Amino acid sequence: MSGLFVNTIATFILSVSLIVGLRRLAVAFQLVDCPDTVRKRHSGAIPLCGGIAVFSAFAIATFFGGRPDLLGLNFWLGLLIITFIGVVDDRLPLPAIGRLVLQLSIAVALVGGTDIGSLSVGALLSEDTALFLPFFFFIGVLFVAGLVNSWNMLDGVDGLAGGVAAVSLIWLIVIAGSAEMTEFIASIETLLICLCAFLVFNMRSPWRMRASVFLGDAGSTALGATIAYVILLLATRSSAVSFPALLWVVIVPIVDTLSLIARRLLAHRSPMSADRWHLHHLLLDHGLGHAATTNTVILASAICGGIGYAGIRADVPGEIMAIGLIVPIAIHTMFVLAASGYRVKVQPDGSGAGLRSSRTDVLGGATSSMVFKGAAKPVLKDE
């Protein structure tokens, strides 16, 4: 116990030291996030070194005090590349398509480091795993790349991406312990400690009015990739831990990303375009403060993770856990429809007039309006 305590304190101090040291370097190299009049409403230029510090501390602590071989060479190479890409993107924004291609390539490498043919998804697909191997591989790559972007999109409010990641890591530790996959717990705990050190600088509290360091794209994308990889490891090492049950641990950022993509496509916009349609933006725009928004999303993620853990403990079939995901999807959809001002107008003959939303977003200084055709008169609503 004393050794564990010493390692925890040492890892925490290492992460804090790296954050403090890298803040000045980030400013010197102009690796900072500056506010604008649209989406980024923080005050002053904030260093984007949080992710670099977290994963540097994670790597150092793992290589010198842990078992780096447990995660595999594929993971460490993939983590290095995705962090580097994130740093470059933070400094000199990369084209969206180029980033996606690189992320898919990294996802292929990460999935290749798992026994994806043993993915536990439920009884229906557990008979002939060789037959479903290409399908499992495709799902794995899509999942990793999707979670990379989900965590990147989640990083919009102080403490949000790091807080939801911390909750997800806690549930993954609990699940790994209950499924007797204790060999992974030390690595997950190490990342959790590094992340908690970052949250001291990033999450609002009575002692900190606003974040002094941001994760940056390097941190958010690396978090998404790491959590996705750990989930695939757990889902391929034990038939008792189904992939659909583990999806509950990360369903909040996944649903928000899918909702964003769907709404942008319906608005005839690129799914990679910027706006204030994220869940956290809707909460902010409807009266919640920054801390309350962060805590609300973290609580929702914690509840969903608890449901996933309960399903694993109760041996609920993967198919049932997958069907159950309809509930958080429906709740999110209803909230978005209500918060965005979408309405369904019913005609006297009983036919629906369709969904309509007239919203004005200021994107990069240009004004663009989005309308779902079907109703007679739009209702303008300020962002």
Side-chain angles (χ1 to χ4, degrees):
M1 181 63 71
S2 60
L4 177 61
F5 178 77
V6 171
N7 288 337
T8 298
I9 297 299
T11 301
F12 187 87
I13 293 175
L14 172 64
S15 187
V16 168
S17 301
L18 286 172
I19 292 172
V20 173
L22 288 172
R23 278 196 301 186
R24 293 185 178 182
L25 286 176
V27 174
F29 286 96
Q30 298 184 352
L31 191 64
V32 295
D33 194 22
C34 296
D36 56 32
T37 59
V38 186
R39 295 166 54 248
K40 302 177 180 181
R41 300 178 179 177
H42 56 271
S43 301
I46 308 298
L48 294 168
C49 61
I52 304 173
V54 166
F55 284 96
S56 295
F58 174 54
I60 292 171
T62 302
F63 275 86
F64 286 95
R67 290 280 309 279
D69 57 299
L70 289 175
L71 296 177
L73 181 60
N74 296 52
F75 168 75
W76 292 109
L77 288 177
L79 182 64
L80 176 63
I81 295 172
I82 201 166
T83 303
F84 176 75
I85 293 171
V87 172
V88 173
D89 193 37
D90 283 328
R91 183 63 182 84
L92 302 168
L94 299 172
I97 295 298
R99 288 201 313 269
L100 182 60
V101 171
L102 291 171
Q103 290 165 0
L104 287 171
S105 301
I106 294 168
V108 169
L110 291 178
V111 174
T114 67
D115 184 15
I116 196 65
S118 301
L119 188 69
S120 176
V121 294
L124 295 178
L125 300 179
S126 62
E127 295 299 327
D128 192 349
T129 56
L131 181 63
F132 293 106
L133 180 59
F135 174 69
F136 286 167
F137 194 89
F138 172 76
I139 292 297
V141 171
L142 190 65
F143 175 65
V144 173
L147 212 60
V148 165
N149 286 281
S150 293
W151 239 275
N152 191 25
M153 292 182 178
L154 187 67
D155 190 20
V157 181
D158 293 349
L160 183 56
V164 173
V167 167
S168 299
L169 291 172
I170 290 171
W171 279 123
L172 292 176
I173 290 171
V174 173
I175 291 170
S178 66
E180 298 183 354
M181 289 184 281
T182 56
E183 65 271 21
F184 297 116
I185 291 179
S187 296
I188 305 173
E189 285 180 340
T190 300
L191 178 57
L192 177 61
I193 294 166
C194 297
L195 194 57
C196 288
F198 162 74
L199 288 174
V200 171
F201 298 86
N202 183 252
M203 182 170 279
R204 298 192 180 192
S205 68
W207 303 276
R208 181 173 294 279
M209 298 305 297
R210 58 181 56 86
S212 61
V213 173
F214 287 166
L215 272 175
D217 286 349
S220 59
T221 54
L223 272 178
T226 302
I227 292 173
Y229 183 74
V230 171
I231 286 176
L232 290 179
L233 283 179
L234 297 181
T236 54
R237 296 296 179 92
S238 173
S239 59
V241 180
S242 70
F243 180 63
L246 290 171
L247 282 179
W248 279 87
V249 176
V250 291
I251 191 60
V252 171
I254 288 176
V255 170
D256 193 39
T257 299
L258 293 177
S259 173
L260 278 168
I261 292 174
R263 282 177 281 151
R264 287 168 180 171
L265 290 175
L266 286 171
H268 307 291
R269 292 172 42 206
S270 167
M272 298 179 184
S273 59
D275 52 39
R276 286 184 60 84
W277 294 357
H278 300 73
L279 174 60
H280 52 269
H281 286 143
L282 294 177
L283 291 171
L284 287 171
D285 293 344
H286 285 76
L288 266 66
H290 284 76
T293 295
T294 296
N295 293 335
T296 298
V297 180
I298 288 176
L299 178 61
S301 185
I303 292 172
C304 289
I307 294 172
Y309 170 69
I312 292 171
R313 293 288 292 177
D315 292 326
V316 177
E319 293 85 355
I320 302 299
M321 295 302 295
I323 293 172
L325 290 170
I326 294 174
V327 175
I329 293 172
I331 292 173
H332 183 278
T333 302
M334 288 187 292
F335 172 77
V336 166
L337 292 177
S340 302
Y342 297 172
R343 296 292 184 269
V344 177
K345 183 177 179 181
V346 180
Q347 302 290 356
D349 61 359
S351 63
L355 292 176
R356 180 180 185 84
S357 176
S358 179
R359 299 172 59 81
T360 301
D361 288 342
V362 184
L363 303 175
T367 301
S368 66
S369 61
M370 176 273 284
V371 176
F372 291 112
K373 296 181 179 179
K377 296 180 180 180
V379 179
L380 294 177
K381 189 171 184 179
D382 294 333
E383 279 291 341

